[in-house]
Amino acid sequence: SLSLSTMIVSLLFACSSYFATYFEESKQTLQFISSNQTFTDILGKNLKEEDVLVAKSIVAPEISQYSPIEDKIQIRTLYLLYEKYGTANFSIGMLQMKPSFAEQVEKLILLDSTLRKKYRNLIINTCDTAHNRRIRIERLSQLSWQLEYLSAFMQIASNRLNGKVLSINKRIQYIATMYNSGLLLDFQSIENALRAKQFPHWSVKKFNYAECVLEFYQK
């Protein structure tokens, strides 16, 4: 039988988890992802089966904190400042992607012939910078386009980890940190980020994003 101290530690861990703190939001997120065919259709056509589950888990914490009202304000601000001047960089859409994230994914696709062929629909070819930015905002406002960017991100992140011996949990944590903190972070910076508790941004009680992702993955 479990010792009293072990039971207390387990109880404290459960009470301090992201799921325990945001139970309703987390439950609704799981239901939304599992019942939304768009996730399965787009991720399934681009990724291996095991990576589809990882991809869903990586964006789940962001979905659980999504605010439609806040999103509309930030999208409007991007049209005013990012489209014209490139000076705003808010996270938007259900998956909370920044324009700079999309730009980075697009650039990395262009550098890889395999990705360039597979994700040619993500490449923006016009010479008008403001128009390119507007296209990017319109895309990031739609779940289907965000899932295309997520698919490409997953493959870019997986390529970066190729050859590194990582457990499945560690691999998920690395990819989650690259999603939340920067796709091109060096591995030492990723390890440092795994000790930081900064999510959700506006909450008093904060968690490590990668740990939140692991909770969703395990559910």
Side-chain angles (χ1 to χ4, degrees):
S1 61
L2 290 174
S3 67
L4 179 60
S5 60
T6 301
M7 291 176 66
I8 291 173
V9 169
S10 298
L11 182 61
L12 287 173
F13 175 78
C15 291
S16 64
S17 72
Y18 183 81
F19 262 73
T21 306
Y22 295 100
F23 178 73
E24 282 303 319
E25 294 89 341
S26 298
K27 184 175 71 172
Q28 289 170 14
T29 296
L30 288 174
Q31 291 173 343
F32 174 76
I33 293 175
S34 62
S35 63
N36 193 312
Q37 191 63 30
T38 308
F39 281 86
T40 302
D41 290 345
I42 294 178
L43 296 177
K45 76 174 181 180
N46 291 318
L47 303 174
K48 297 176 182 177
E49 185 177 351
E50 59 267 27
D51 280 342
V52 170
L53 181 57
V54 174
K56 290 178 179 179
S57 304
I58 281 170
V59 296
E62 295 289 11
I63 296 173
S64 71
Q65 293 292 322
Y66 175 72
S67 166
I69 295 174
E70 183 180 338
D71 194 42
K72 288 180 180 178
I73 295 170
Q74 292 179 329
I75 289 172
R76 180 59 183 163
T77 304
L78 287 181
Y79 277 122
L80 292 172
L81 298 178
Y82 172 72
E83 180 185 351
K84 294 179 180 179
Y85 311 109
T87 55
N89 193 37
F90 292 116
S91 299
I92 62 172
M94 294 204 74
L95 311 190
Q96 289 294 281
M97 291 180 176
K98 295 179 178 179
S100 61
F101 172 85
E103 287 180 28
Q104 191 171 64
V105 169
E106 292 162 23
K107 289 176 182 177
L108 292 172
I109 287 172
L110 286 172
L111 295 175
D112 186 300
S113 58
T114 302
L115 293 177
R116 190 164 62 244
K117 182 178 180 180
K118 186 171 184 178
Y119 296 103
R120 57 184 176 274
N121 61 321
L122 290 180
I123 299 170
I124 301 174
N125 290 317
T126 77
C127 297
D128 186 330
T129 302
H131 183 59
N132 291 349
R133 291 173 181 156
R134 185 176 188 84
I135 292 173
R136 206 167 281 120
I137 296 169
E138 290 171 351
R139 287 180 175 183
L140 296 183
S141 303
Q142 302 173 56
L143 178 60
S144 58
W145 274 106
Q146 286 202 325
L147 289 170
E148 293 285 355
Y149 278 104
L150 177 62
S151 299
F153 160 81
M154 282 294 300
Q155 293 200 248
I156 293 167
S158 294
N159 289 345
R160 285 201 67 203
L161 297 180
N162 189 33
K164 285 188 70 69
V165 180
L166 298 172
S167 67
I168 180 61
N169 281 6
K170 199 71 170 178
R171 178 174 179 271
I172 291 169
Q173 287 178 300
Y174 265 52
I175 296 176
T177 302
M178 283 189 269
Y179 183 80
N180 183 248
S181 301
L183 179 50
L184 296 181
L185 282 181
D186 61 73
F187 295 131
Q188 184 56 56
S189 296
I190 291 175
E191 284 290 343
N192 294 340
L194 289 174
R195 294 189 286 272
K197 295 184 178 182
Q198 300 176 328
F199 182 83
H201 182 70
W202 300 112
S203 175
V204 174
K205 186 173 184 179
K206 297 186 184 297
F207 300 86
N208 178 267
Y209 190 83
E211 290 297 326
C212 297
V213 169
L214 272 184
E215 282 194 73
F216 277 100
Y217 180 79
Q218 290 160 0
K219 295 292 181 182

